[in-house]
Amino acid sequence: MVSRARKAAGQASYQQTERKNMIYNGDMQVCQRATSVAGVGDADTGYHVQDRWKFYEAGSPAAEVTWSQSTTTPDGFYSSLKMLTTTNSGTVGADDLVTLSQLFEGRDLQGWNKGDAQARPVTVSFWVNATQTGTYCVNLIDADNSSRQISKSYTIDSADTWEYKTLTFEGDTTGAFDNDTALSLYVYWGLVAGTNYTSGTLGTSWAAYDATTRFEPCDAFDADDDMFHITGVQMELGSVATDFEYETRSANLIRCNRYYYKITNMTAYLYALTDSSGGSAYQRITFTHPPMRTNTPTGTISNTIVNAAAQGFQYAQEKTTTIYGNPAGGGTLTYLSSANITLSDEL
């Protein structure tokens, strides 16, 4: 019989790859978009503050929060993700849902061995601090195999107190993750859930999608000024939660740049290209950047190129991007001044 210590060591052994923690920005330090955004609620599904952390809502939730990077943390951490209720949930509708989530491409998940007899368990651990006590859930959904899902519950025992939680999800022998850069997995932290998502028995084993079994009844935003904090989030192979894997902020930022990249206050002259007949001149600027997830990121420019009648992204690619500016009235373009440029390639 294998001892518990040897079993734990064996589980740890197949975690020692480039990174054991599959979560991006688990210590909440990288916030390229903003450090605080108010009024996040109905119709605000998307990325707002911490990189890689997505707000998702469904139905018509009444709750609104100010989402921020907070210095309220447990020992060993500098930042947390904080949601402060500015408008409470009121009566939660049956189809209301609010979650915090991370989305993963299949290439991040091949070590799970999902879909074969050697499918491995995965453990999610985190620190949480919330005003509303009670039962909450983490829900995993497989985007590659008809939304197969599994959920595990945890309890917040004391209001406004940091508590450490660990949840282990068994391996799934049905349905492999695709080995590509497309979406393969959702990981959801339930914050508000109506009866459409809670009326069944919580689905604690991998099974076909059933919305009613995703969450237990919960409402983190039941009253004004309710708070929800989370940090130190880790997702690792095995059935044992190990110590949080710290990384430098620069390493954290580089990993996040695969999905979102921002240049602040860029000032640069455009260069002219003349067509082969010696006619029209085209003004362009090309810059390199960290590799994005795909070859088609979406770009934005915060202000106008001087003397441009039209401007935009001629090419936004995996590693290089070209911005164009067409002169107004035959004039001469000069430069792009103090612009914020973003490239987004989120799942």
Side-chain angles (χ1 to χ4, degrees), residues 3 9 27 42 82 91 116 138 182 185 201 209 243 245 257-259 263 265 269 288:
S3 71
D27 61 0
D42 189 22
K82 175 183 177 181
T91 300
D116 66 37
V138 175
L185 178 71
T201 300
Y209 181 79
D243 290 344
E245 182 178 32
N257 283 160
R258 178 169 172 79
Y259 302 91
I263 301 174
N265 293 326
Y269 286 90
T288 61

Side-chain angles (χ1 to χ4, degrees), residues 98-118:
V98 177
T99 69
L100 182 65
S101 64
Q102 275 210 13
L103 283 59
F104 295 87
E105 56 189 280
R107 287 184 179 174
D108 280 342
L109 308 171
Q110 295 307 301
W112 291 38
N113 282 5
K114 192 172 181 297
D116 66 37
Q118 289 74 44

Side-chain angles (χ1 to χ4, degrees), residues 47 84 104 113 117 158 218 229 273 292:
Y47 296 89
L84 171 64
F104 295 87
N113 282 5
S158 300
C218 64
H229 300 79
L273 295 174
M292 307 295 289

Side-chain angles (χ1 to χ4, degrees), residues 19 26 31 60 121 141 161 166 169 179 182 190 194 205 209 220 224 229 231 252 285 321 334 340:
R19 288 186 52 79
C31 302
S60 301
I141 293 183
T161 303
T166 69
F169 301 82
N179 189 15
S205 298
Y209 181 79
D224 292 351
H229 300 79
T231 194
N252 192 357
I285 182 170
T321 292
T334 54
N340 294 334

Side-chain angles (χ1 to χ4, degrees), residues 4-292:
R4 183 173 298 178
R6 286 185 61 193
K7 182 179 179 182
Q11 289 163 343
S13 68
Y14 59 68
Q15 300 176 122
Q16 305 310 310
T17 54
E18 182 182 358
R19 288 186 52 79
K20 70 176 180 181
N21 188 5
M22 288 170 268
I23 293 288
Y24 287 80
N25 199 21
D27 61 0
M28 312 299 175
Q29 290 219 51
V30 176
C31 302
Q32 294 187 84
R33 294 172 176 84
T35 56
S36 183
V37 176
V40 179
D42 189 22
D44 290 325
T45 289
Y47 296 89
H48 297 281
V49 181
Q50 283 83 3
D51 280 43
R52 302 295 298 124
W53 288 96
K54 187 174 185 178
F55 179 87
Y56 177 83
E57 60 77 29
S60 301
E64 289 191 356
V65 301
T66 295
W67 183 341
S68 66
Q69 182 185 44
S70 173
T71 56
T72 299
T73 61
D75 185 48
F77 295 92
Y78 179 80
S79 300
S80 67
L81 184 159
K82 175 183 177 181
M83 291 183 177
L84 171 64
T85 308
T86 53
T87 301
N88 67 59
S89 296
T91 300
V92 175
D95 61 346
D96 287 349
L97 182 67
V98 177
T99 69
L100 182 65
S101 64
Q102 275 210 13
L103 283 59
F104 295 87
E105 56 189 280
R107 287 184 179 174
D108 280 342
L109 308 171
Q110 295 307 301
W112 291 38
N113 282 5
K114 192 172 181 297
D116 66 37
Q118 289 74 44
R120 293 168 173 167
V122 173
T123 297
V124 176
S125 57
F126 53 94
W127 286 91
V128 63
N129 178 333
T131 302
Q132 292 293 332
T133 60
T135 302
Y136 294 78
C137 298
V138 175
N139 168 239
L140 277 53
I141 293 183
D142 175 355
D144 290 328
N145 296 283
S146 302
S147 298
R148 284 178 61 79
Q149 67 172 22
I150 185 172
S151 298
K152 299 292 182 180
S153 65
Y154 65 96
T155 302
I156 294 176
D157 299 301
S158 300
D160 302 316
T161 303
W162 283 106
E163 299 176 356
Y164 181 65
K165 308 299 178 183
T166 69
L167 304 172
T168 296
F169 301 82
E170 64 265 26
D172 184 17
T173 59
T174 300
F177 290 128
D178 296 340
N179 189 15
D180 58 23
T181 63
L183 173 64
S184 286
L185 178 71
Y186 301 90
V187 181
Y188 293 104
W189 279 257
L191 301 174
V192 178
T195 55
N196 286 359
Y197 304 96
T198 65
S199 58
T201 300
L202 188 68
T204 57
S205 298
W206 285 101
Y209 181 79
D210 179 350
T212 68
T213 68
R214 290 180 61 188
F215 299 105
E216 297 280 9
C218 64
D219 185 0
F221 311 130
D222 184 61
D224 292 351
D225 298 323
D226 281 349
M227 292 183 289
F228 182 91
H229 300 79
I230 189 169
T231 194
V233 186
Q234 184 153 285
M235 183 168 71
E236 59 190 307
L237 293 172
S239 55
V240 176
T242 63
D243 290 344
F244 182 78
E245 182 178 32
Y246 291 93
E247 60 183 333
T248 64
R249 189 186 183 282
S250 59
N252 192 357
L253 177 61
I254 288 170
R255 294 205 311 131
C256 292
N257 283 160
R258 178 169 172 79
Y259 302 91
Y260 185 84
Y261 179 67
K262 182 176 182 179
I263 301 174
T264 303
N265 293 326
M266 181 178 182
T267 297
Y269 286 90
L270 281 75
Y271 59 88
L273 295 174
T274 303
D275 66 21
S276 58
S277 64
S280 301
Y282 302 90
Q283 306 288 338
R284 302 290 185 268
I285 182 170
T286 297
F287 60 93
T288 61
H289 47 77
M292 307 295 289

